[in-house]
Amino acid sequence: MGRLGEMIWEESKKMWEIAGPAILTSVLQFSIGFVTVAFVGHLGFIELAAVAVSQNIVEGFAFGFLLGMGSAVETLCGQAVGAGQIHMLGIYLQRSWILTGLTALALTPVYIFTSPILKFLHQSDEISEVAGRFCIWVIPQLFAYAMNFPLQKFFQSQTRVWVMAAIAAAALALHVLLNWLLVTKLEYGLAGAAIAGNISWWVINLAQLVYLVSGYFPNAWTGFSLLALRSLTAFVKLSLASAIMLCLELWYYTAVILLVGSLKTKPEIDVDAVSICMNLEVWTLMVAIGFNAAVSVRVSNELGAGHPKAAKFSVVVTVSTSVLLGILFTAAILIARSEFPKVFTDKPVVIRETIKLGYLLAATIFLNSIQPVLHGVAIGAGWQSLVALVNVGCYYVFGLPLGALLGYRFKLGVVGIWSGMLAGTLLQTIILTWITYRTNWQKESFQAEERLQTWGGQSEHQRQPHNVNGFIEN
């Protein structure tokens, strides 16, 4: 028992070195959107609903695709660090920038034509018009995401995350100040909120770029290289698999907003209530995403180094820690479910509708303490394609149809739609838990070596020989 306790303690320290600042960074960066909703929520029903639709449907669509494309860097950089191939990290980063930049360009028309797209999806005309204008104003944030996500994964793979957290904290403080100035003081409304968001996101990018080129990564970053243009086809395969896996996850919540917005009665109030819950749910999800980053880095590092038992042990420790925090968040929501809506709105009818969703929100938060961490395992091990198939079945074949049936056919409205979403998430969590439990980690270690040679560019490097270290052996 003493030996096991020592192992858990050592693994927990390694995990928290990544998860702590990663959680802080995720929470701070998400809080930029959180602050925007808080300021806009006091402008009126339509403004709040429009920003909610913009963030959860249009920006969520783009955010998911770009974050997924950037997650290929997470797999390859993490495994390259474990294999001692630090010189490849900068090349992977540049390849990812090429792909995410082109993806952002391809997604720009979605922002430009948001209004007709939302109307085609049976959203309220008034909400669609306002959301359309807002999305055009926040196009600079689309390209900020394209630069930011690969850069974050580059830093995380080397456990350089505290600087990211400090930058995010400074940007959030600036964002609050800008919103107060532009939205409240100068009364620029939604345009002011968009400008504040654009400035804040690009401040984050510029600060991170300065950190990148300031000499702190002498082996991983040696400047721009034409090698980034090689093996792009192979790199695209992993990037697309990552993007599809993550998009199917994030678009699930987008689809829920669409279903709620199509309800025949009081769509503005329903969308406002769901968006408030979604914002709070995603805020707690940022904590799980910190563990997602930690387990992804730990698993990819250990598999790259040829330590399959260490990878498996890291999964157990990280999932257990995240679940404990999830229980605390669930309890907090249940206790405060009558109070948290007042942070976003002073409209009594919206507050009442939001309170009704408190129990479903609490259950969703608990499941989200498990499921994103298992996604991190998938990214670290390179299972993106498999998890994408699981997401399709659980979410789009089971969860959404069930939600639509409960919400429309059985006239349960928002509660029915959310219940269906929750059922799909529960099924997905059970399946991912089973897959992780049944994994042959020795086989995954061999596949990590093949992946570095194939998707990283076979001719560029060979895996360095490694010794089995310490207390967790091959």
Side-chain angles (χ1 to χ4, degrees), residues 18-42:
I18 305 168
I23 290 170
L24 188 57
T25 302
S26 297
V27 169
L28 290 169
Q29 289 190 355
F30 170 73
S31 295
I32 291 176
F34 191 85
V35 167
T36 299
V37 170
F39 274 92
V40 168
H42 295 280

Side-chain angles (χ1 to χ4, degrees), residues 240-261:
L240 283 175
S242 300
I244 291 169
M245 182 195 79
L246 202 60
C247 284
L248 290 172
E249 179 76 24
L250 295 178
W251 293 348
Y252 189 42
Y253 298 98
T254 297
V256 170
I257 293 288
L258 286 172
L259 287 175
V260 172

Side-chain angles (χ1 to χ4, degrees), residues 75-140:
T75 301
L76 290 171
C77 281
Q79 293 182 358
V81 168
Q85 297 164 356
I86 305 298
H87 63 284
M88 287 303 302
L89 271 60
I91 304 301
Y92 293 146
L93 173 62
Q94 292 169 57
R95 284 180 186 161
S96 190
W97 272 339
I98 293 170
L99 296 182
T100 54
L102 291 174
T103 302
L105 192 62
L107 289 171
T108 300
V110 176
Y111 278 61
I112 294 173
F113 298 105
T114 289
S115 182
I117 290 172
L118 290 177
K119 290 176 182 177
F120 175 76
L121 295 172
H122 304 292
Q123 302 303 291
S124 157
D125 285 351
E126 192 171 7
I127 292 175
S128 298
E129 289 292 339
V130 177
R133 290 197 300 272
F134 184 77
C135 281
I136 290 174
W137 293 334
V138 298
I139 286 176

